[in-house]
Amino acid sequence: MLVLARSLDADTLPKVIALRDWLVTVAAHMEDSNLVLTGFVERLIELGLRIDRAASAIETLHSEYAGIGRFWTPEEGTVVRYLPHGERRDLVYRASPFAHVNQTGEWLFLDLDETPDDLFPIIPELKEAGYRHYLTVPIRFINGAENGISFATRDPEGFGERGLTILRLVMPSFALITELRATSNRLDEVLRIYVGDEPHRAILSGAILRGQVTRIRSAILFADMRDYTRISSTLSPESAVELLNDYFDCLVPPIEEEGGEVLKYLGDGLLAIVRDRGDDTGGAPQSALTAATNALRRIQAANNEGRFPVPINIGIALHHGDAAYGNVGSGQRLDFTVIGRDVNLASRIADLNKRLGEPLLMSKSFVEHLWGNPSPLGAHAVEGFEEMIEVYKP
């Protein structure tokens, strides 16, 4: 690196150092990763590099996609593409320059005028767009994840020795902040997927002591499938998982559309909340009721379309009170779970759904916040509560 630095003139070297500093300070803390790539390329161009296209491919740990591709051009700025899971994505990657450089560990320089079209599938596309030289740089993370960035130019002279020297000096810093950002995003995304929005933020903010409890005033929605044990007993594990996923696809979108959060998947059930919105205590229950009725409609539509192995029925209970998050466990193994009297009551009301033959039941404290006039179904004994619990239907 010292030899490379000495090859630059006295005017260029401080600017290169400034770019490296920008990467590890400013860029490392940017919220928008698109701005990192845009800022990086623009600063390279200011240093005199001849860049007309840049593209990065970064592996992710996400349930819906395997990686994120970012493509920069001066005309469109940075555009994002999500790279899907599956065999097709693997085939595309294995035939790409990114796979080649990660296998060899070396930078790949191509003079496109002298490069056969069948070397990589992207070569004809680059030529058609008028690019003359193409450079791909591997970015391999400590965990083995294979990533990379490429640059293309329409300049017939390519990037030039000076430009390549600058890239050699700044790429280690770019690779470092790319890995740091990807690792942070991966942790953030995995926690969000498995424990939900609010719990994952609490965990990352340091709420990891056993016994810590956070109360959230909210509408509480508890839903479960009827006769799941009987239905799943005839299914393979793969088919049972598919059934649950199709089932949750009917429940979760209506909840999220109403601003709700799924806090916990409980086998064939789930627990969700819609937070109170300041003094508007009626808004959260009304949103929860809308989510519940829309979920029931989706279940019915899925039954009519034959999307489940057999028609299914569900019970949804709605209550209003405190959803409390607590760290429960022993030693070094804790669970960030939802606890409290109001959560327990919501689950017990869900037990009444089957007994009363009603798909949707609401507690008295829930209907007190509603704008309509629900129908009372009387007071009933529920397990774990001494008092009789009044329930209503829409």
Side-chain angles (χ1 to χ4, degrees):
M1 284 294 178
L2 184 59
V3 174
L4 286 173
R6 286 174 175 171
S7 69
L8 295 176
D9 60 77
D11 181 59
T12 300
L13 184 55
K15 296 177 181 178
V16 172
I17 294 172
L19 174 52
R20 291 171 59 172
D21 289 345
W22 177 83
L23 284 167
V24 298
T25 55
V26 178
H29 296 94
M30 283 183 170
E31 292 188 12
D32 189 344
S33 294
N34 294 345
L35 296 179
V36 175
L37 180 61
T38 299
F40 181 51
V41 174
E42 289 176 347
R43 283 164 173 78
L44 289 173
I45 293 173
E46 289 174 3
L47 281 165
L49 273 76
R50 307 151 185 171
I51 298 174
D52 295 301
R53 179 188 187 272
S56 66
I58 308 298
E59 284 189 22
T60 61
L61 194 60
H62 196 282
S63 60
E64 297 177 329
Y65 50 84
I68 298 178
R70 291 186 171 86
F71 300 83
W72 176 91
T73 61
E75 297 81 14
E76 297 186 9
T78 298
V79 177
V80 176
R81 296 178 190 168
Y82 294 97
L83 312 176
H85 289 287
E87 184 177 349
R88 173 171 168 74
R89 182 260 176 185
D90 294 337
L91 291 173
V92 170
Y93 172 72
R94 287 196 293 268
S96 73
F98 290 107
H100 175 82
V101 296
N102 275 291
Q103 290 167 4
T104 64
E106 302 291 334
W107 291 24
L108 174 67
F109 303 90
L110 295 177
D111 181 337
L112 295 176
D113 288 342
E114 300 176 1
T115 303
D117 286 357
D118 60 357
L119 181 63
F120 299 107
I122 196 175
I123 299 301
E125 176 186 330
L126 293 170
K127 289 181 177 180
E128 184 177 352
Y131 299 111
R132 303 292 296 276
H133 291 261
Y134 183 68
L135 166 65
T136 309
V137 181
I139 301 176
R140 195 174 183 90
F141 290 173
I142 292 175
N143 66 1
E146 297 180 350
N147 313 279
I149 186 170
S150 68
F151 303 96
T153 180
R154 293 187 173 94
D155 193 310
E157 300 300 320
F159 302 100
E161 285 301 320
R162 177 180 174 278
L164 293 176
T165 297
I166 292 172
L167 285 172
R168 292 283 189 191
L169 288 170
V170 300
M171 279 308 303
S173 297
F174 180 81
L176 173 63
I177 69 104
T178 298
E179 179 162 6
L180 289 174
R181 292 177 62 87
T183 301
S184 177
N185 290 338
R186 178 177 291 222
L187 174 61
D188 187 84
E189 190 60 38
V190 169
L191 281 174
R192 186 196 63 76
I193 289 171
Y194 283 99
V195 302
D197 283 336
E198 179 64 23
H200 105 274
R201 283 192 288 267
I203 290 170
L204 290 177
S205 69
I208 58 173
L209 296 179
R210 188 171 71 157
Q212 279 186 291
V213 174
T214 301
R215 298 170 182 265
I216 299 175
R217 196 70 177 166
S218 59
I220 301 170
L221 184 153
F222 196 101
D224 66 348
M225 187 189 305
R226 298 287 171 241
D227 298 323
Y228 172 74
T229 301
R230 177 184 59 80
I231 294 171
S232 62
S233 65
T234 63
L235 302 176
S236 68
E238 293 79 7
S239 296
V241 168
E242 183 178 1
L243 167 63
L244 286 174
N245 285 336
D246 288 340
Y247 161 65
F248 287 128
D249 279 344
C250 294
L251 295 183
V252 176
I255 294 170
E256 293 181 340
E257 287 166 6
E258 291 297 321
E261 309 166 37
V262 175
L263 300 184
K264 207 82 170 173
Y265 289 102
L266 306 160
D268 62 318
L270 64 77
L271 176 66
I273 63 170
V274 181
R275 298 165 183 266
D276 278 1
R277 301 152 190 170
D279 294 332
D280 180 17
T281 57
Q286 190 62 48
S287 292
L289 178 57
T290 300
T293 54
N294 287 341
L296 289 171
R297 290 192 189 100
R298 289 193 181 210
I299 291 290
Q300 186 58 53
N303 281 332
N304 294 339
E305 295 165 7
R307 284 171 47 193
F308 303 122
V310 297
I312 66 170
N313 295 299
I314 71 168
I316 298 179
L318 297 173
H319 178 54
H320 188 270
D322 287 328
Y325 298 115
N327 283 314
V328 176
S330 179
Q332 297 184 24
R333 179 65 177 89
L334 300 178
D335 185 20
F336 204 67
T337 192
V338 188
I339 56 176
R341 180 186 186 280
D342 290 315
V343 172
N344 293 338
L345 179 55
S347 70
R348 294 295 178 257
I349 292 173
D351 293 338
L352 288 174
N353 287 87
K354 186 174 182 180
R355 193 194 313 173
L356 300 179
E358 294 289 342
L360 177 58
L361 293 177
M362 302 172 288
S363 71
K364 182 178 181 180
S365 64
F366 184 89
V367 302
E368 286 175 345
H369 296 281
L370 291 180
W371 307 317
N373 295 307
S375 301
L377 295 175
H380 301 266
V382 297
E383 183 182 352
F385 290 81
E386 294 183 2
E387 71 273 24
M388 303 288 279
I389 303 300
E390 293 183 45
V391 292
Y392 301 76
K393 67 178 182 178

